[in-house]
Amino acid sequence: MFTTRPTLQGTFGMVSSTHWLASQSAMAVLEDGGNAFDAAVAGAFVLHVVEPHLNGPAGEVPILLAPAGGEVQVLCGQGVAPAGATVAHYQGLGLDLVPGTGPLAAAVPGAFDAWLLLLRDHGTKSLEGVLKYAIGYAEHGHPPVENVGAAVQSVRELFETEWTSSAEVYLPGGRPPRPGELLRNPALAATWQRLLAETAHAGDREARIDAAREVWRSGFIAEALLRQSRRPTLDTSGERHTGTLTEADLADWSASYEDPVTYDWNGWTLCKAGPWSQGPAFLQQLALLPAELPAYGSADYVHLLVENCKLAMADREAWYGDAAQVPLAGLLSAEYNAERRALVGESASYELRPGTVDGRAPRLPARAGARADAGARSLPGAGEPTVGLGGGGEPVLGAREPGVPGEPRVSADGATRGDTCHLDVVDRWGNMIAATPSGGWLQSNPVVPELGFPLGTRLQMAWLEEGLPNSLTPGRRPRTTLTPSLALRDGVPVLAFGTPGGDQQDQWQFHFFLAAALRAPVRGALDLQGAIDAPNWHNDGFPSSFHPRTSRPGSVTVESRMPRAVVAELRRRGHDVTVGPAWSEGRLCAVARDPRTGVLSAAANPRGTQGYAVGR
């Protein structure tokens, strides 16, 4: 089939990410003798610079890593709720949801420590060796992609009147960044340069990395983060609030390793982060598949995957979270999924239907039934597209604003949502990594003036209702949408992949994986680019993870490249179908390794015109 680009193949190393400068920086580390983990760290810090509207150092990142010859591990870079972040505290402020912006929404920052822990334990390069690319782009500038300027424009008035430290970085000369001009962040460059200077005499490579982690926790970086958290800041509630972060919150937390959650399907083993992420929803969708699938791409196929996704996401809402024991074994069991599979009928479902697991009845949040009204369809959250009307009267996504699903948006109340990046690397030794950095977006909190980056807002994903698996709970992780993937074939790591897109991540990734697994290989390997380029879709028939937490029951959004006959049949079955632009669903990245031959491959998403794969 026709693809926008070739699936790259080689034997030395492959990188795929959501920005070409991050991909090439990671590749430069491989060329300099580094391994996949060194390369990923370098690429991640570049993503902080070149996709500041999608991630930052004070955000979060889940990482799936497969060391050559070793076991797959999850490295959790999702920080917890501070000790003072209780439901009672927020309700005492008159809130029924965690604000979508501002310091009240900030969890303990997790991304920086996770990347440095990865570098210490699995990398080979020095701290300076991986930071130099990000420092260069921050100090000397990079030409920003269009969506950086669009994101800044959406919050321009807020920056000019309230978040003035953000205006100093992102309104150079009093206007948003423009493509073709250089955007600099000298404060961020100075932060990393000072970090290197303060740790220069800490000892060997590992000791210096640990010293840098301590500077983040209790040194000048921690001090600046705490000052910012304590500044009254206008947020989406329309009020000014201070955050709950304390010295102890920062000092006591560190990134950590854990085992992945896995599911075996047709000779594949899929690895995901635990139910503090939405990752197991991917595995539940696998478990719901019947023995015989409908023809790939048919209306029967799309209908089945949409309805299965609704069931998995209903369970996500009822069962997933870090504040309770999650019955994963039951959710993935053959008996449970046989019962759930029988719920899929010929027509579209409009109800949120979580299941009873191990005799335990599900409990949904009180606000789980909140629905986006007709007007809200053009004011989406992270990962959700804008809706307008095309010339033919057909609903068309993206007609009102530039960008693709997964990009930030601004709503009428001034609420802004950011999204996510993704990065995959495989090297000649067989090391493989998939990571989904997010949070700490430029539109999440004011830029910390001494540091050049803002705090994050991940606590907005926790509920202000006691007794739920995802209730806001001090010391617990808010359930995140971030969900990289790693797949083994016959027990050997073969494929690393992922995408930005909020709640859509485990929809787009699932469709990609089935396309790669079910379709004919190209040049003897997985057709990664063909699977990425295939028409994609998503549904919003469950509560959004982002403020204001609404849903669109029965909705399905498809790319216009989907055959008209398929769209017509979906509508006949009762799906509320919105037809979007031809290239609007997903921002997937992928790398692979054939263990029989050692051939490496990579592909990247053409949507959004900034993702790129490189390798040789």
Side-chain angles (χ1 to χ4, degrees):
M1 65 169 284
F2 169 79
T3 59
T4 57
R5 315 166 184 178
T7 295
L8 306 184
Q9 289 188 315
T11 57
F12 180 82
M14 292 283 164
V15 181
S16 180
S17 88
T18 49
H19 197 290
W20 63 84
L21 291 180
S23 294
Q24 189 53 50
S25 297
M27 191 67 200
V29 173
L30 294 181
E31 295 284 3
D32 194 40
N35 65 21
F37 310 118
D38 297 310
V41 175
F45 277 89
V46 171
L47 285 173
H48 298 158
V49 180
V50 300
E51 291 193 320
H53 59 312
L54 305 178
N55 80 138
E60 46 276 327
V61 59
I63 300 170
L64 283 168
L65 60 145
E71 297 295 321
V72 176
Q73 292 179 294
V74 175
L75 176 51
C76 174
Q78 174 57 62
V80 299
T86 65
V87 170
H89 175 67
Y90 287 68
Q91 290 179 340
L93 296 172
L95 299 170
D96 57 2
L97 289 174
V98 177
T101 61
L104 272 181
V108 176
F112 177 89
D113 194 67
W115 288 119
L116 263 63
L117 189 62
L118 176 70
L119 181 66
R120 186 196 72 181
D121 294 347
H122 297 280
T124 65
K125 291 293 187 182
S126 68
L127 185 61
E128 186 171 18
V130 296
L131 284 179
K132 63 182 182 182
Y133 305 94
I135 291 173
Y137 287 124
E139 183 176 14
H140 303 297
H142 67 95
V145 295
E146 288 82 354
N147 283 321
V148 173
V152 174
Q153 180 61 38
S154 74
V155 288
R156 179 173 182 167
E157 182 178 352
L158 178 68
F159 282 11
E160 290 174 335
T161 59
E162 294 280 346
W163 297 8
T164 55
S165 60
S166 299
E168 291 178 10
V169 177
Y170 292 111
L171 290 172
R175 57 176 174 76
R178 296 180 181 178
E181 299 179 357
L182 293 179
L183 174 62
R184 297 176 175 86
N185 190 340
L188 178 59
T191 295
W192 300 146
Q193 289 165 337
R194 180 176 174 183
L195 181 72
L196 292 173
E198 289 196 6
T199 59
H201 304 294
D204 61 13
R205 190 187 79 90
E206 290 80 8
R208 189 177 186 189
I209 293 170
D210 278 336
R213 296 171 69 205
E214 283 304 312
V215 170
W216 179 276
R217 291 194 190 102
S218 59
F220 79 93
I221 294 177
E223 294 168 359
L225 291 174
L226 290 168
R227 282 194 296 272
Q228 185 63 50
S229 178
R230 292 163 181 162
R231 291 187 178 109
T233 300
L234 182 68
D235 60 35
T236 56
S237 72
E239 303 292 334
R240 291 178 177 81
H241 293 115
T242 56
T244 61
L245 276 174
T246 66
E247 288 84 352
D249 292 320
L250 290 174
D252 293 345
W253 186 87
S254 67
S256 58
Y257 295 100
E258 57 190 58
D259 293 331
V261 180
T262 63
Y263 187 81
D264 295 332
W265 178 81
N266 282 9
W268 292 88
T269 299
L270 272 294
C271 302
K272 301 290 281 188
W276 53 268
S277 76
Q278 70 173 344
F282 184 109
L283 307 183
Q284 285 194 248
Q285 290 176 84
L286 275 179
L288 283 164
L289 291 176
E292 296 292 330
L293 287 175
Y296 175 84
S298 65
D300 287 340
Y301 179 85
V302 176
H303 172 76
L304 174 69
L305 268 57
V306 168
E307 293 303 303
N308 283 355
C309 175
K310 292 175 185 176
L311 294 175
M313 289 303 201
D315 279 343
R316 181 196 78 164
E317 212 53 56
W319 295 109
Y320 291 18
D322 200 31
Q325 190 66 35
V326 180
L328 274 180
L331 289 167
L332 295 173
S333 68
E335 297 78 12
Y336 178 76
N337 283 285
E339 296 174 3
R340 300 286 278 166
R341 199 176 295 122
L343 295 176
V344 177
E346 287 298 308
S347 299
S349 62
Y350 277 64
E351 301 302 320
L352 199 61
R353 299 180 291 174
T356 297
V357 186
D358 301 333
R360 295 166 56 189
R363 178 185 165 190
L364 289 169
R367 294 180 60 96
R371 302 189 178 197
D373 59 29
R377 294 179 64 177
S378 63
L379 302 173
E384 296 177 345
T386 48
V387 180
L389 287 177
E394 187 79 6
V396 175
L397 282 141
R400 293 184 54 182
E401 294 179 23
V404 296
E407 294 294 342
R409 296 290 187 267
V410 61
S411 71
D413 63 358
T416 59
R417 291 96 184 176
D419 192 33
T420 306
C421 309
H422 190 79
L423 175 71
D424 302 309
V425 189
V426 61
D427 64 29
R428 62 189 185 274
W429 301 288
N431 299 303
M432 186 177 290
I433 182 171
T436 309
S438 187
W441 313 298
L442 65 86
Q443 63 276 30
S444 64
N445 261 293
V447 165
V448 183
E450 306 95 321
L451 302 178
F453 58 85
L455 287 163
T457 55
R458 194 57 57 174
L459 291 187
Q460 68 178 288
M461 297 188 170
W463 292 103
L464 295 183
E465 180 181 346
E466 298 284 10
L468 298 169
N470 190 33
S471 296
L472 181 67
T473 308
R476 297 289 185 176
R477 295 166 288 193
R479 191 199 71 218
T480 177
T481 55
L482 307 176
T483 172
S485 302
L486 204 147
L488 288 64
R489 185 73 175 169
D490 300 321
V492 180
V494 168
L495 176 64
F497 59 100
T499 180
D503 294 305
Q504 283 73 57
Q505 289 181 31
D506 276 322
Q507 301 186 58
W508 293 331
Q509 289 185 71
F510 190 73
H511 310 157
F512 159 81
F513 172 72
L514 289 186
L518 297 175
R519 294 166 66 175
V522 171
R523 300 189 185 119
L526 293 170
D527 182 13
L528 301 183
Q529 195 64 52
I532 288 174
D533 288 354
N536 216 323
W537 66 93
H538 81 273
N539 87 89
D540 298 306
F542 49 87
S544 169
S545 295
F546 293 83
H547 188 281
R549 313 301 298 271
T550 55
S551 64
R552 289 175 55 206
S555 67
V556 179
T557 301
V558 305
E559 291 181 326
S560 63
R561 293 180 296 127
M562 186 171 284
R564 288 182 177 272
V566 172
V567 173
E569 176 60 16
L570 291 174
R571 285 178 171 150
R572 188 191 70 79
R573 295 186 181 206
H575 294 281
D576 179 12
V577 180
T578 298
V579 178
W583 299 93
S584 55
E585 292 283 313
R587 289 177 63 209
L588 283 147
C589 301
V591 300
R593 179 179 182 270
D594 188 332
R596 302 167 302 163
T597 63
V599 171
L600 312 177
S601 54
N605 180 52
R607 302 165 179 90
T609 62
Q610 65 188 68
Y612 244 90
V614 295
R616 69 174 179 86

